[in-house]
Amino acid sequence: MSVDEPILRVSNLSLVRSGRIIFDRVNFELRRGDLLLLVGNNGSGKTSLLDCICGFERASGGVVGIAPKPVSRVFQHRCAFWNMTVRENVALASWADADLRKGARRLFGRAGPVPARVDQLINQLLLSEYRDRSPAVLSGGQLQRLKLAMALAHGTDLILVDEPFTDLDTRSVELMTQMLLETRTVGAVVVVSHRVVTELNPSDVYELPDRTARTEPLLSWRAKPSFSKRCVP
């Protein structure tokens, strides 16, 4: 894929739930090297927008075009296996792009070496001390760094990160910022935040309006919602 070709294209994307507009006609494109900061108050639809991009939720209208490669996402909530070690969690994520079931068999059967990238990420995010321990012993900041390591191990061109700096200590914020800046050099990044994070030097900032008090239905989409998700040509 060339630098000029979009990795992600969002066109007129809208979501309506129970007659309430969550977000309305969102448009943006991301290419290699782009970092989009998606900003808005609580309830403005930031996480719902990521859900629609990933296909976890069906939008009410619009088009999502994604380059033909898996998407990595860092969720706000816990996304690690407590009965596995930190290293095993990152290793499993590195194999998930081919087939999660094969990756699990490979991991638990101990078939084949763990990719070098796994240990590299663990070291970069200062988790080497906990390499062979359960994620249950990690602090909030360390767990957030583990989730980022798992997403980066996936090796995709597009990574979506939901509120990565919430309740983090200064050192964790610095590490997360550094890794996200490095990630944009090989792909595109969408970061959800309730504030503008100038340290990320975003290529663009998209602000979702606060619609928490609005309840009117979007009449033009009430009868036949139309949504498509396809690869970027």
Side-chain angles (χ1 to χ4, degrees):
M1 175 183 293
S2 70
V3 176
D4 294 332
E5 293 177 339
I7 292 176
L8 173 66
R9 180 187 296 136
V10 174
S11 303
N12 292 319
L13 199 65
S14 304
L15 179 64
V16 181
R17 289 199 201 107
S18 302
R20 185 170 73 86
I21 301 171
I22 307 302
F23 53 81
D24 184 18
R25 289 183 284 273
V26 174
N27 293 276
F28 58 82
E29 283 189 359
L30 291 180
R31 291 173 169 77
R32 192 177 304 279
D34 285 344
L35 190 151
L36 173 69
L37 195 58
L38 189 62
V39 179
N41 295 329
N42 290 337
S44 60
K46 303 184 300 296
T47 297
S48 296
L49 178 54
L50 295 191
D51 287 341
C52 290
I53 292 173
C54 293
F56 293 159
E57 183 166 4
R58 186 179 179 85
S60 304
V63 175
V64 174
I66 299 178
K69 200 171 183 181
V71 177
S72 288
R73 181 170 174 183
V74 178
F75 293 86
Q76 290 189 56
H77 52 77
R78 188 189 85 183
C79 287
F81 294 101
W82 260 213
N83 61 333
M84 295 165 54
T85 67
V86 165
R87 190 171 189 251
E88 287 172 338
N89 271 278
V90 181
L92 184 59
S94 73
W95 290 318
D97 57 337
D99 188 317
L100 184 58
R101 289 172 297 180
K102 288 182 181 178
R105 288 197 298 269
R106 186 178 181 185
L107 177 64
F108 296 116
R110 302 300 192 271
V114 172
R117 174 69 170 156
V118 170
D119 290 322
Q120 180 186 1
L121 287 168
I122 289 174
N123 292 334
Q124 282 182 301
L125 288 163
L126 301 185
L127 294 171
S128 54
E129 179 183 349
Y130 305 94
R131 184 192 316 267
D132 299 317
R133 302 183 67 182
S134 165
V137 305
L138 301 181
S139 67
Q142 291 165 339
L143 185 58
Q144 193 76 334
R145 278 145 47 193
L146 171 60
K147 292 189 292 182
L148 180 60
M150 293 170 66
L152 295 176
H154 204 181
T156 63
D157 289 331
L158 176 63
I159 179 170
L160 312 177
V161 190
D162 200 349
E163 294 285 4
F165 304 116
T166 302
D167 299 326
L168 293 191
D169 57 86
T170 303
R171 182 55 176 152
S172 292
V173 170
E174 291 174 351
L175 282 170
M176 294 286 285
T177 301
Q178 177 185 346
M179 293 301 294
L180 289 172
L181 290 174
E182 290 179 6
T183 301
R184 71 185 294 185
T185 63
V186 295
V189 183
V190 178
V191 176
V192 162
S193 177
H194 62 279
R195 64 179 179 87
V196 175
V197 186
T198 55
E199 295 85 354
L200 287 175
N201 190 26
S203 53
D204 197 5
V205 177
Y206 195 104
E207 185 171 359
L208 288 171
D210 186 359
R211 298 179 179 273
T212 53
R214 298 182 59 177
T215 57
E216 76 276 15
L218 199 55
L219 297 177
S220 60
W221 290 327
R222 184 186 286 175
K224 283 189 174 182
S226 174
F227 172 72
S228 64
K229 184 176 181 181
R230 56 183 175 78
C231 290
V232 173

